[in-house]
Amino acid sequence: MTDRLTLRRHIRHCRNQLSTQQQNDAAQAVIDHVRRADHLSSARAVALYLANDGELDPHPLIEWYWSRGSRVYLPVLHPFSPGHLLFLHYTPDTPLQANRFGIPEPRLDSRLILPKSELELIFTPLVAFDAQGNRMGMGGGFYDRTLAGWRNGPGPQPVGLAHNCQQVDSIPVDSWDVPLPELITPGRHWRW
Ligand SMILES: Nc1ncnc2c1ncn2[C@@H]1O[C@H](COP(=O)(O)OP(=O)(O)OP(=O)(O)O)[C@@H](O)[C@H]1O
Ligand SMILES: [Mg+2]
């Protein structure tokens, strides 16, 4: 099972089969890993995402960061730079609207945009990962573009979030794919 489409279909099915209870337990387990890692728990400006398609639900983690006084940002599709993301400040009062993929995002308001370089962490969703830190997303290249060159700049460090069942033996990678330095599943905090 090496081609990307087959792999995506298989793993998306597995994460969509998880029960509400399993999703809730997974979200709490991830908070426990973050709590134990100083460089994650101390971050004051973090990008997270809203769960879609059975993804690990980061909302409890978002609320945990809020409770510590950290600022949380969500990705918004760039209105005129195709394939790119903006990061907008997210609070419990932020109005959301569905984007063209049906995923809720903050309504675009330029006053809420934080330049990417001012984020400390970007928690990324993903479809599949392997034990080498290779990452495969939903196929849009949004996070690959966002994270391109992150090791060479002052910008944020990525942290993948996934369910245990999203681990595969080997991810087929292309030149533009950005491997992760770190990833959290309910069962393990991976660091490469
Ligand atoms: N840094 C980049 N610059 C230009 N195009 C890119 C870049 N990264 C990825 N792409 C393009 O995006 C498309 C989708 O890439 P890919 O299949 O790796 O997405 P993905 O990793 O599944 O998605 P995502 O990054 O949103 O999680 C590819 O056709 C690729 O050419
Ligand atoms: Mg990719």
Side-chain angles (χ1 to χ4, degrees):
M1 192 172 57
T2 49
D3 81 277
R4 289 184 167 230
L5 273 177
T6 312
L7 201 56
R8 279 199 184 94
R9 202 174 303 128
H10 177 75
I11 302 293
R12 289 178 61 196
H13 180 73
C14 108
R15 71 183 185 188
N16 274 295
Q17 295 289 97
L18 296 170
S19 67
T20 305
Q21 184 67 51
Q22 287 172 312
Q23 285 284 359
N24 292 344
D25 291 348
Q28 288 305 321
V30 163
I31 294 177
D32 290 338
H33 287 297
V34 170
R35 207 196 292 273
R36 288 195 287 265
D38 282 350
H39 68 295
L40 303 182
S41 62
S42 64
R44 307 296 290 167
V46 300
L48 282 125
Y49 61 89
L50 298 181
N52 175 53
D53 192 55
E55 287 167 346
L56 192 132
D57 181 4
H59 216 279
L61 181 59
I62 289 174
E63 291 171 25
W64 184 81
Y65 273 116
W66 281 339
S67 74
R68 299 170 62 84
S70 297
R71 290 167 72 87
V72 172
Y73 297 82
L74 290 179
V76 172
L77 299 179
H78 198 293
F80 37 74
S81 183
H84 289 262
L85 300 172
L86 294 170
F87 291 91
L88 266 69
H89 188 210
Y90 177 49
T91 72
D93 303 320
T94 303
L96 300 173
Q97 63 183 22
N99 66 22
R100 64 187 163 87
F101 299 111
I103 302 170
E105 60 178 32
R107 206 181 297 151
L108 193 53
D109 176 341
S110 59
R111 295 167 300 181
L112 303 181
I113 298 172
L114 186 75
K116 185 176 70 180
S117 60
E118 292 178 29
L119 287 167
E120 289 159 65
L121 300 172
I122 297 185
F123 286 90
T124 78
L126 55 109
V127 173
F129 71 97
D130 65 23
Q132 284 70 51
N134 294 309
R135 170 187 179 280
M136 178 189 279
M138 291 282 272
F142 292 98
Y143 281 96
D144 283 325
R145 288 184 191 82
T146 299
L147 300 174
W150 75 269
R151 283 179 198 275
N152 309 320
Q157 189 224 287
V159 185
L161 291 182
H163 293 289
N164 300 328
C165 73
Q166 290 173 246
Q167 184 184 352
V168 299
D169 287 343
S170 170
I171 297 270
V173 285
D174 275 301
S175 57
W176 59 79
D177 284 317
V178 179
L180 293 166
E182 191 164 349
L183 179 145
I184 298 175
T185 62
R188 181 161 171 186
H189 185 167
W190 298 79
R191 299 185 76 167
W192 291 281

